[in-house]
Amino acid sequence: MQIHDLPYPDPGVPDARSGPRFLWWLGRNQLGGQLKSLAWGLLHFLSVCGLPFCVGLAVQAVVDRSGARLALTGGLLLLCGAGIALGDTMLHRTAVTNWITAAARVQQLLARRTALLGSALTRRVAAGEVVAVSTGDVEKIGWFVEAVSRFSAAALTVVAVCVALVVYQPALGVIVAVGVPALALTVLPLLPRATRRADVQREKAGRATELASDTVAGLRVLRGIGGEELFLERYRRASQEVRTAAVRSARMWSLIAAIQVLMPGLLVIALVWRGVQLAHEGRIAVGELVTVYSAVMLLTYPLQHFEEIAMAYSFSRPSARRAARVLSLERATDAAGSREASLPAGDLYDPRTGLLAPAGQFTAVVCGDPDAAGVLAERLGGHPAEEGTSVLLGGVPLDELPLQTARTAVLVQDKDPVLLSGSLRDLLDVPASGQVGAEEALAAAQCGDVLDALVEGTTDTDDPMDARITERGRSLSGGQRQRLALARSLITDPQVLVLDEPTSAVDSHTEARIAEGIRRLRAGRTTVVLTSSPLLLDRADRVVLVHEGEVAAVGLHRELVHAEPRYRSVVTRETDDEAAARADVLAELHELEDLEEIEETA
């Protein structure tokens, strides 16, 4: 896989049982790239470590006054230089490719999981954590995946050099063969503590990112209630905790780095001291001493990758654990489906609450609990909170349909729809039946003033369809965002449209016109609106009251508002005292009517 081939046609099914298993799965799925990086790494490191042998041969050739051997050594040096240049270039190329492709695979997996779970994802994992995983954590995971091959090449090079030195000069080679593994093992006792400190740093950084993301998402609300300073102080504290954890982690890693500088220095001192003794005794030549000394000095280069792999694993393990947690989440129902991908037709029925939305009618649903309304909307869209509660469309359970078919049949617009950045034309460019045009949908959603505002806010175009919408529509008011989102849903023209409080941020005059527009544009289509607005309820063909998780009353708005006290208390916001007073007035009226009847009879 090359960078220009991204994205993957199929990123695969990850092993999300744990962070290490996920990292292992990523490495196995990039085995070809890992082997390429390993081969180029071996060429580079072996060429670097081959320089001391060439230098030793050259020194000995000068001592022996051998021009032929000096020329041969010069050729070997040129060969090593070419190997260093080519190996380093290709190693960097393949390593970066491994990094980017691993990160791209993780991002594709996260995007696929997000699309599969829908809004159920943020009910089970904080939105800030999802952002942290898909940004910073992805880079940490890619770093470890690409570092594995370079570490493997460095480790094999160290082994090869130690063996070569033992063969080349046994007296000093044995010291190197024993000392180099000791160098690598000296930092092992410190790695668990360094890993724990890195984990703490990552966790605190993740919490700070979540807090920042959630604060930005709710900034408009915070400004409205004057809570900016409170959340700013919380972020300050979280930021200081991250700084403190980062300093403690850096201290440990600096200690490890210092040890990896100190120990090779001690090994070099021991080699020089022993080598001078052997040379004085005439047991080794000058060139051999130079070769061994230079080889040990250059071994510090591949040994640096031992520290890097430890750091990469320490930082990537918590990141992989967080990614595995998100990727292990499953829908409460089967996403593949067990039925054919054909759209069923008929009534929408929820066996959990007993809610029935007849085909082709405008059904309004009133719930006393707004949270219960949101859960009901998700369930009507094929996202049950638990197994065994799937709704039926035309007698067919939605969870038995392929996910794409179920989402084509039923579209749910929640109470806080998201507008992606881009032009209005891009926003409305959604999968649709083709029966509803953009102008019709925008008119039904009463978006005329929104279009004017978009044109006034830009000097680049006079066409509102080309006007830019900022991220999440932050430059628009809540009511304007709601109406644009409603227009987007109406353009889709699904078989069943479920709207959760689509006009909660709209004034009453606009709301009345929107209600009429929805009724007109959705004529002959099944529409379910969860609302407590009398203006929407009055235009519905059927009104259903859901109380304590079950259907409590069914009828028309004007009938229920007089006959059902629970319905009236939700729709009119009538308090208990007001209801009691109203009952007393009605009782008095009934008494007066009875007295009038008695007087007339007398």
Side-chain angles (χ1 to χ4, degrees):
M1 171 63 69
Q2 298 297 320
I3 295 176
H4 60 75
D5 296 325
L6 295 175
Y8 288 94
D10 180 11
V13 180
D15 186 349
R17 289 176 291 177
S18 66
R21 288 179 181 271
F22 180 59
L23 291 174
W24 174 249
W25 178 84
L26 280 175
R28 285 191 295 108
N29 277 269
Q30 292 188 207
L31 189 58
Q34 295 283 7
L35 292 177
K36 289 180 182 179
S37 185
L38 174 62
W40 291 116
L42 284 173
L43 174 62
H44 174 64
F45 291 129
L46 289 174
S47 297
V48 170
C49 293
L51 293 176
F53 294 93
C54 295
V55 172
L57 291 175
V59 170
Q60 194 61 43
V62 171
V63 172
D64 297 339
R65 299 181 180 276
S66 174
R69 279 190 294 162
L70 187 61
L72 176 61
T73 304
L76 291 176
L77 282 171
L78 289 175
L79 186 61
C80 287
I84 293 172
L86 178 61
D88 191 25
T89 301
M90 298 306 297
L91 173 61
H92 179 74
R93 180 186 180 94
T94 53
V96 171
T97 299
N98 287 337
W99 188 334
I100 293 177
T101 51
R105 186 188 295 272
V106 177
Q107 286 182 324
Q108 278 189 253
L109 290 170
L110 290 170
R112 186 173 66 176
R113 185 61 49 179
T114 301
L116 177 66
L117 294 172
S119 59
L121 174 63
T122 53
R123 292 203 301 267
R124 299 161 72 177
V125 179
E129 182 172 349
V130 177
V131 173
V133 171
S134 59
T135 53
D137 287 339
V138 166
E139 293 185 5
K140 298 296 188 298
I141 293 171
W143 177 28
F144 174 75
V145 171
E146 70 89 11
V148 168
S149 55
R150 288 189 290 111
F151 164 73
S152 301
L156 291 175
T157 300
V158 170
V159 172
V161 171
C162 289
V163 172
L165 288 177
V166 170
V167 174
Y168 179 72
Q169 176 44 251
L172 296 179
V174 171
I175 298 177
V176 176
V178 173
V180 169
L183 295 180
L185 296 176
T186 51
V187 298
L188 284 182
L190 300 177
L191 288 179
R193 182 178 298 180
T195 301
R196 286 194 298 270
R197 292 189 179 186
D199 289 350
V200 171
Q201 178 193 350
R202 290 298 303 157
E203 290 174 4
K204 291 185 179 296
R207 284 197 293 268
T209 302
E210 293 171 20
L211 180 60
S213 176
D214 295 341
T215 301
V216 171
L219 190 58
R220 185 183 293 271
V221 176
L222 291 176
R223 286 175 175 170
I225 63 176
E228 305 103 306
E229 287 300 325
L230 174 62
F231 274 77
L232 181 60
E233 181 59 32
R234 289 182 181 178
Y235 183 75
R236 284 197 188 101
R237 290 198 300 268
S239 178
Q240 289 303 310
E241 290 178 0
V242 174
R243 182 189 63 80
T244 302
V247 170
R248 294 185 72 246
S249 178
R251 286 173 180 168
M252 186 56 64
W253 288 111
S254 63
L255 176 60
I256 292 174
I259 291 175
Q260 290 199 325
V261 172
L262 173 64
M263 297 307 292
L266 295 177
L267 178 60
V268 169
I269 292 173
L271 278 174
V272 172
W273 177 75
R274 181 57 179 163
V276 170
Q277 285 185 333
L278 294 175
H280 182 69
E281 295 172 2
R283 297 171 57 183
I284 64 171
V286 175
E288 293 176 337
L289 178 59
V290 172
T291 297
V292 176
Y293 169 78
S294 302
V296 173
M297 291 297 295
L298 288 178
L299 273 180
T300 57
Y301 173 52
L303 282 174
Q304 291 175 358
H305 292 77
F306 285 70
E307 178 190 358
E308 183 192 9
I309 194 66
M311 291 184 65
Y313 180 71
S314 299
F315 281 91
S316 67
R317 190 178 66 172
S319 297
R321 183 171 62 245
R322 288 151 62 106
R325 180 191 173 196
V326 175
L327 295 175
S328 64
L329 297 177
E330 297 287 347
R331 293 178 78 242
T333 57
D334 178 19
S338 56
R339 292 179 180 261
E340 295 182 359
S342 57
L343 289 176
D347 301 339
L348 184 69
Y349 176 68
D350 177 24
R352 178 75 175 271
T353 60
L355 171 65
L356 175 67
Q361 292 191 17
F362 181 0
T363 301
V365 181
V366 176
C367 294
D369 183 1
D371 294 333
V375 173
L376 177 58
E378 291 297 323
R379 191 161 60 248
L380 293 176
H383 294 279
E386 57 188 26
E387 295 184 6
T389 60
S390 176
V391 299
L392 308 177
L393 179 60
V396 178
L398 282 181
D399 61 359
E400 293 184 7
L401 293 172
L403 183 61
Q404 186 61 38
T405 303
R407 289 182 173 173
T408 301
V410 182
L411 174 67
V412 177
Q413 177 182 307
D414 60 25
K415 64 182 65 178
D416 187 21
V418 175
L419 303 183
L420 301 179
S421 59
S423 67
L424 179 58
R425 194 184 309 278
D426 295 334
L427 177 69
L428 301 180
D429 185 16
V430 293
S433 66
Q435 301 299 315
V436 178
E439 293 184 2
E440 295 176 276
L442 290 168
Q446 300 299 308
C447 293
D449 63 316
V450 184
L451 300 181
D452 294 338
L454 289 174
V455 172
E456 291 175 1
T458 180
T459 58
D460 298 334
T461 179
D462 294 332
D463 187 354
M465 297 299 291
D466 293 327
R468 301 289 298 177
I469 297 176
T470 58
E471 182 186 3
R472 300 179 68 92
R474 298 189 192 280
S475 61
L476 303 173
S477 68
Q480 290 173 330
R481 288 198 301 271
Q482 270 193 340
R483 283 177 281 166
L484 286 180
L486 176 60
R488 179 178 59 186
S489 299
L490 292 174
I491 287 177
T492 303
D493 191 33
Q495 182 175 327
V496 179
L497 177 60
V498 180
L499 304 172
D500 185 8
E501 294 288 357
T503 58
S504 58
V506 177
D507 64 83
S508 58
H509 297 289
T510 306
E511 188 176 28
R513 294 193 294 269
I514 290 176
E516 190 58 40
I518 293 175
R519 181 180 178 86
R520 182 184 69 255
L521 200 61
R522 293 288 299 171
R525 292 284 202 178
T526 306
T527 306
V528 180
V529 179
L530 291 96
T531 182
S532 59
S533 168
L535 295 172
L536 284 170
L537 296 170
D538 190 45
R539 286 165 175 76
D541 299 318
R542 175 186 175 91
V543 178
V544 179
L545 171 65
V546 176
H547 180 70
E548 295 182 353
E550 295 182 353
V551 172
V554 179
L556 295 176
H557 167 64
R558 300 189 181 189
E559 298 173 351
L560 294 175
V561 79
H562 292 293
E564 178 55 60
R566 291 172 296 185
Y567 178 84
R568 186 169 55 250
S569 66
V570 175
V571 174
T572 65
R573 276 69 169 177
E574 188 178 61
T575 64
D576 293 339
D577 292 339
E578 292 172 340
R582 187 173 183 277
D584 292 340
V585 171
L586 291 175
E588 292 176 3
L589 290 175
H590 286 309
E591 290 179 2
L592 291 174
E593 290 175 358
D594 292 341
L595 289 173
E596 290 176 357
E597 289 180 3
I598 292 173
E599 290 175 355
E600 290 176 0
T601 302

